[in-house]
């Protein structure tokens, strides 16, 4: 993970660059933040304590990433009024001689250097009591004018939480965090005990996280997207705080964002990076707007469930979302709520714009890579894969809005929960419990099974097409194409993947193929592709491969401006605990690639597809990824009809017989 992007201590110029951002406070990646200047809120003599909760997990045991960040911290020279209190644990093996995998370590870094405070009995870093004990330890032993708390580890967003202990598999939920902080410090919206709480972890820049921290902290800093392995720049932001203890949490968050993005640029991981600063004082207004948005959506869903959920699902599919959300690499089920609201203005005209405005007020600073420009700085849960187990974790979180819980319950379970009627009656209720029934819903809202083997037509130009009625389109969040290679000699049907490369007319219900005999290839080798994002200026794709023998997903962008593909890097998918993988690997000359497809025998009755390793090759210094002609052979083409919960149906198969560059289109 982190260590795959090997880090030396950040050079001095990055620290100077970070300090310069305080003076001119310009946003690196977003024009709307340009020239933003935050006021100096405190006195230079004020005392600061930074609490750093380092749950080492495999990031440390395999790659030494926590050790590297501690070394980064040691490069920041602190004054007497700034100190860092550290707790370490949650790791099977530390890559240094100071920390133990059989005990909780507590340390202090201050103007006198790094010192051990105590070695406490081992405990589960994914348990709320361990967090609570560290908070109590800090409160009992360190007084400060301003407190900062940083969670370090894996993150999985609103449902999965943060800080998974490698040895137990347990992690901290949003409820756990809120209970721990409130239990030790209490909660005060007028005078929060913490200046800033941050997450050096994936996918934690969520509305639900921010709502949970209201009254506990003034500001929150976190990433909507999976963080690359380089993570936060501890030399940069701690050094900046040391130079200017008069800053407030907004400035400190800005420095964290800018130094983080500078580090991403250094390691070439900036293209899909995000980080934002949330003013938690704005949460009440944002909460009201988000709940109103959910209530309007719930009302429309009640009146026309199929029509609403299919239209809303199309907006969610096209909104910026994080963690991948494909069948091959898993689902984080996190969507940018600002982009979702902006795309839903015609669908939800009473509340969408107000939600966007409140998000813009709450997100006081953000940085974004060029393939994450549509994010507004806060995400939340959306059931891209319809997984009830993940949904159950989401509805258990007290900070998640009840209207959204009811909305997605309706989508996944096929009926409105009892509490929904109370909400729709305008009672102002913002609480309530929901129990998810076991098994499949008795009636799916959007059942696409009737579209299986839908007839396909061929026009006079040899273009295949399907025609859908309004009722049929009301079942769908998207229409994609799937391409397979039919190898009679090899006795195999080999799947090449799915794409949005069709000519879609949702107004008329006509969907045409756009196949010209070309398909994405890496160094001339066909690959299996899944589209992960469809934005105005680009598409993002995920390609399963083995990279030097390790299974992962190659991330590729196609930009419309230059009509070219751009290889971003590779990472593993979402793990079984819902956590994102921070090991973002840049390809290098000499890497061995094995393409992975999915296939089944052409003969016999076997219908289950299995992974198939096809080509193995070594890449050069500048690997080429581009559309290339697939060559002679027989190819099967399907229109894929996808529901809002990623149930899908395939049309009748179209056959493309290619010989000597010519394509003949026939129906199976």
């Amino acid at each position: 993970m982190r260590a795959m992007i090997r880090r030396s201590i950040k050079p001095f110029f990055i620290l100077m660059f970070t300090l310069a951002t305080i003076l001119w406070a310009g946003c690196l990646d977003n024009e709307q933040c340009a020239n933003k200047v935050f006021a100096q809120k405190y006195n230079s003599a004020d005392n600061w304590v930074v609490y750093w909760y380092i749950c080492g997990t495999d990031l440390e045991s395999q790659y030494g990433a926590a050790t590297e960040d501690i070394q980064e911290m040691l490069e920041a020279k602190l004054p007497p009024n700034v100190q860092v209190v550290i707790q370490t644990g949650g790791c099977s093996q530390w890559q240094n001689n100071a920390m133990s995998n059989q005990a909780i370590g507590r340390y202090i870094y201050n103007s006198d250097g790094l010192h051990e405070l105590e070695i406490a009995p081992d405990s589960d870093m994914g348990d709320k009591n361990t967090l609570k004990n560290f908070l109590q330890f800090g409160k009992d032993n360190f007084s400060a004018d301003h407190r900062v708390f940083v969670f370090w580890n894996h993150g999985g967003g609103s449902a999965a939480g943060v800080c998974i202990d490698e040895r137990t598999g347990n992690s901290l939920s949003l409820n756990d965090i809120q209970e721990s902080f409130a239990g030790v410090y209490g909660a005060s919206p007028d005078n929060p005990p913490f200046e800033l709480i941050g997450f050096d972890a994936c996918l934690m820049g969520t509305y639900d996280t921010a709502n949970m921290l209201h009254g506990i902290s003034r500001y929150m800093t976190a990433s909507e997207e999976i963080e690359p392995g380089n993570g936060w720049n501890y030399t940069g932001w701690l050094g900046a705080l040391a130079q200017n203890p008069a800053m407030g949490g907004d400035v400190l968050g800005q420095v964290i964002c800018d130094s983080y993005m500078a580090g991403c640029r250094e390691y070439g991981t900036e293209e899909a990076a995000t980080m934002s600063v949330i003013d938690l004082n704005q949460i009440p207004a944002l909460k009201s707007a988000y709940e109103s948005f959910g209530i309007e959506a719930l009302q429309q869903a009640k009146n026309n469930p199929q029509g609403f959920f299919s239209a809303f699902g199309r907006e969610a599919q096209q909104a910026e979302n994080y963690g991948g959300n494909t069948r091959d690499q898993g689902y984080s089920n996190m969507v940018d709520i600002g982009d979702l609201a902006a795309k839903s203005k015609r669908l939800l005209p009473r509340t969408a714009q107000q939600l966007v405005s409140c998000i813009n007020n709450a997100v006081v600073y953000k940085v974004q890579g060029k393939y994450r420009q549509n994010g507004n700085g806060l995400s939340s849960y959306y059931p891209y894969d319809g997984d009830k187990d993940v949904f159950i974790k989401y509805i258990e979180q007290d900070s998640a809005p009840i209207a959204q819980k009811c909305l997605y319950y309706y989508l996944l379970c096929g009926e409105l929960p009892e509490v929904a009627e109370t909400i729709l009656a305008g009672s102002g209720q913002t609480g309530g419990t929901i129990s998810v029934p076991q098994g499949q819903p008795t009636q799916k809202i959007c059942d696409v099974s009737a579209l299986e083997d839908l007839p396909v037509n061929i026009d006079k130009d040899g273009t295949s097409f399907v025609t859908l009625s309004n009722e049929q389109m009301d079942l769908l969040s998207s229409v994609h194409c799937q391409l397979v290679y039919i190898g009679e000699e090899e006795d195999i049907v080999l799947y090449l993947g799915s794409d949005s490369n069709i000519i879609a007319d949702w107004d008329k219900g006509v969907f045409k193929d756009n196949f010209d005999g070309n398909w994405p290839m890496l160094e001339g080798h066909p690959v299996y592709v899944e589209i992960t994002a469809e934005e105005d200026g680009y598409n993002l794709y995920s390609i399963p491969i083995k990279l030097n023998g390790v299974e992962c997903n190659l991330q590729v962008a196609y930009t419309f401006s230059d009509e070219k593909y751009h290889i971003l890097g590779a990472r593993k998918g979402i793990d079984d605990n819902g956590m994102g993988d921070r090991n973002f690997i840049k390809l290098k000359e000499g890497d061995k690639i094995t393409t992975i497809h999915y296939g089944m025998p052409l003969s016999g009755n076997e219908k289950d597809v299995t992974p198939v390793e096809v080509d193995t090759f070594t890449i050069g210094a500048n690997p080429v990824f581009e559309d290339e002609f697939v060559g002679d052979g027989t190819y099967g083409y399907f229109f894929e009809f996808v529901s809002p919960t990623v149930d899908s149906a395939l049309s009748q198969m179209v056959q493309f017989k290619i010989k000597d560059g010519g394509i003949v289109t026939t129906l199976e």
Side-chain angles (χ1 to χ4, degrees):
M1 293 184 178
R2 285 174 179 239
M4 300 301 286
I5 307 171
R6 295 304 303 179
R7 292 191 292 179
S8 59
I9 300 302
K10 294 292 188 296
F12 184 73
F13 82 87
I14 289 186
L15 175 57
M16 292 297 100
F17 169 82
T18 303
L19 296 178
T21 64
I22 298 173
L23 300 178
W24 59 266
C27 179
L28 295 177
D29 294 89
N30 193 319
E31 292 182 1
Q32 77 177 45
C33 291
N35 301 316
K36 175 168 279 191
V37 177
F38 298 108
Q40 300 289 81
K41 294 186 176 180
Y42 303 117
N43 297 314
S44 60
D46 285 359
N47 290 309
W48 288 76
V49 175
V50 176
Y51 296 102
W52 193 6
Y53 194 80
I54 305 179
C55 183
T57 196
D58 61 318
L59 292 170
E60 172 64 18
S61 63
Q62 294 188 32
Y63 307 110
T67 294
E68 289 185 351
D69 276 348
I70 292 169
Q71 291 173 338
E72 275 190 2
M73 174 193 68
L74 298 177
E75 291 296 301
K77 304 306 178 185
L78 302 184
N81 59 328
V82 177
Q83 50 192 344
V84 182
V85 179
I86 305 166
Q87 175 163 302
T88 60
C91 183
S92 63
Q93 183 64 50
W94 289 84
Q95 301 299 314
N96 61 60
N97 296 323
M99 284 101 190
S100 169
N101 64 335
Q102 298 179 344
I104 291 293
R106 288 174 177 158
Y107 309 86
I108 187 169
Y109 179 60
N110 55 24
S111 57
D112 295 326
L114 180 65
H115 306 281
E116 181 183 293
L117 291 171
E118 69 173 16
I119 300 299
D122 194 16
S123 57
D124 184 349
M125 291 284 279
D127 186 283
K128 62 184 177 183
N129 293 316
T130 305
L131 171 61
K132 191 173 183 178
N133 289 340
F134 179 49
L135 289 167
Q136 191 66 57
F137 172 82
K139 183 179 182 182
D140 292 343
N141 292 281
F142 300 94
S143 60
D145 298 305
H146 316 294
R147 302 179 187 92
V148 175
F149 197 98
V150 178
F151 291 92
W152 189 101
N153 186 239
H154 292 294
S158 297
V162 70
C163 287
I164 184 168
D165 189 302
E166 180 179 31
R167 304 158 306 170
T168 67
N170 296 326
S171 57
L172 297 171
S173 70
L174 301 187
N175 287 351
D176 291 337
I177 295 171
Q178 197 282 331
E179 182 180 335
S180 299
F181 277 88
V184 174
Y185 285 96
S188 172
D190 294 329
N191 188 27
F194 281 80
E195 182 68 20
L196 181 142
I197 294 178
F199 296 84
D200 189 358
C202 300
L203 300 166
M204 296 307 297
T206 83
Y207 161 83
D208 312 288
T209 308
N211 188 29
M212 174 270 295
L213 292 175
H214 180 238
I216 294 172
S217 183
R218 298 183 189 278
Y219 296 92
M220 180 185 90
T221 300
S223 171
E224 293 184 271
E225 183 55 284
I226 291 177
E227 279 193 8
N230 49 277
W232 287 18
N233 181 325
Y234 288 84
T235 306
W237 71 267
L238 283 171
L241 179 61
Q243 291 289 324
N244 181 22
M247 69 171 65
D250 45 9
V251 178
L252 182 58
Q254 180 188 26
V255 172
I256 291 169
C257 288
D258 287 347
S259 59
Y260 166 75
M261 189 60 80
C264 289
R265 287 196 178 92
E266 181 183 355
Y267 293 104
T269 59
E270 80 282 3
E271 292 172 314
T274 67
M275 191 71 66
S276 52
V277 184
I278 315 304
D279 180 357
L280 298 177
N281 188 50
Q282 299 293 325
I283 288 300
L286 175 57
K287 180 178 180 179
S288 177
Y290 192 33
E291 289 176 347
S292 296
F293 181 78
I295 291 170
E296 184 181 6
L298 189 60
Q299 183 65 64
Q300 292 211 27
K302 179 183 178 182
N303 295 338
N304 180 15
Q306 288 184 343
F308 173 78
F309 281 121
S310 63
F312 194 59
R314 286 194 285 274
E315 308 298 4
Q317 289 288 342
Q318 295 181 15
E320 187 163 288
N321 59 88
Y322 306 103
N325 293 310
T326 68
R327 285 166 290 198
D328 190 74
Q329 63 184 357
Y331 292 83
S332 70
N333 292 303
M334 299 305 300
V335 65
D336 184 272
I337 57 174
D339 198 26
L340 178 60
K343 287 180 166 60
S344 302
K345 287 180 181 178
R346 287 189 294 179
L347 187 63
L348 300 169
R350 290 191 294 106
T351 59
Q353 182 54 53
Q354 180 63 22
L355 176 56
V356 172
S357 298
C358 288
I359 292 169
N360 290 338
N361 290 336
V363 179
V364 295
Y365 196 78
K366 58 190 170 87
V367 291
Q368 301 163 293
K370 67 179 181 179
Y371 296 125
R372 284 293 177 262
Q373 287 294 306
N374 291 332
N376 288 248
L378 279 172
S379 62
S380 189
Y381 171 86
Y382 179 85
Y384 282 106
D385 65 345
D387 188 320
K388 282 189 180 180
D389 291 336
V390 176
F391 177 58
I392 289 172
K393 291 181 180 179
Y394 171 70
I395 64 173
E396 289 174 345
Q397 305 314 309
D398 296 336
S399 59
I402 187 65
Q404 274 74 5
K405 292 178 182 179
C406 291
L407 179 71
Y408 299 138
Y409 179 100
Y410 192 15
L411 173 61
L412 299 181
C413 301
E415 60 184 11
L416 283 169
E418 291 183 8
V419 70
E421 295 295 347
T422 305
I423 294 169
L424 291 174
S427 69
Q429 179 172 344
T430 59
T433 59
I434 300 175
S435 298
V436 176
Q438 298 296 315
Q440 295 297 319
T442 55
Q443 181 178 357
K444 292 182 179 180
I445 297 295
C446 297
D447 186 354
V448 297
S449 59
L451 297 180
E452 191 71 31
D453 293 323
L454 187 77
V456 179
N457 296 296
I458 299 176
D459 66 18
K460 59 182 178 60
D461 298 319
T463 300
S464 62
F465 67 95
V466 293
T467 303
L468 302 178
S469 67
N470 289 332
E471 291 75 15
Q472 290 170 324
M473 287 188 289
D474 277 350
L475 302 173
L476 307 178
S477 62
S478 61
V479 178
H480 288 162
C481 63
Q482 282 202 13
L483 187 69
V484 301
Y485 168 72
I486 302 173
E488 294 184 0
E489 293 184 4
E490 303 94 333
D491 189 34
I492 192 171
V493 176
L494 198 66
Y495 285 75
L496 297 176
S498 63
D499 198 358
S500 63
N501 187 23
I502 60 175
I503 302 170
D505 188 334
W506 286 90
D507 293 327
K508 296 181 179 179
V510 178
F511 301 84
K512 298 181 178 181
D513 86 70
N514 198 31
F515 183 69
D516 59 1
N518 292 294
W519 196 254
M521 299 193 189
L522 175 60
E523 298 283 71
H525 300 273
V527 293
Y528 177 90
V529 299
E530 283 189 319
I531 189 164
T532 65
E534 303 173 48
E535 302 290 354
D536 293 337
Y538 56 87
N539 286 345
L540 298 179
Y541 295 91
S542 178
I543 296 99
I545 61 170
K546 277 188 175 180
L547 176 59
N548 299 319
V550 178
E551 289 190 13
C552 54
N553 294 278
L554 188 66
Q555 309 296 304
V556 176
Y558 180 85
T559 52
F560 302 135
S561 58
D562 59 5
E563 297 183 341
K564 291 183 179 179
Y565 291 96
H566 304 270
I567 298 174
L568 307 182
R571 62 161 50 99
K572 296 179 182 177
I574 302 294
D575 69 16
D576 293 339
N577 298 294
M579 300 292 175
D581 179 22
R582 298 180 63 167
N583 178 18
F584 193 66
I585 309 167
K586 304 293 287 187
L587 299 190
K588 63 183 184 301
E589 184 176 6
D591 279 341
K592 182 177 289 187
I593 304 291
T594 299
T595 59
I596 299 176
H597 295 256
Y598 296 88
M600 63 182 182
L602 181 60
S603 60
N605 297 320
E606 180 63 50
K607 298 298 181 182
D608 292 334
V609 296
T610 58
V612 179
E613 297 181 13
V614 178
D615 296 325
T616 298
F617 52 95
T618 300
I619 62 171
N622 297 296
V624 175
F625 193 100
E626 61 185 4
D627 289 330
E628 295 187 41
F629 193 63
V630 293
D632 289 355
T634 301
Y635 297 86
Y637 181 100
F638 302 88
F639 293 94
E640 182 183 20
F641 311 110
V642 185
S643 79
T645 52
V646 299
D647 293 323
S648 67
L650 298 178
S651 71
Q652 174 187 14
M653 186 175 72
V654 180
Q655 283 195 0
F656 297 121
K657 294 185 179 294
I658 302 177
K659 185 175 182 180
D660 299 330
I663 302 176
V664 176
T665 307
T666 59
L667 296 177
E668 183 185 29

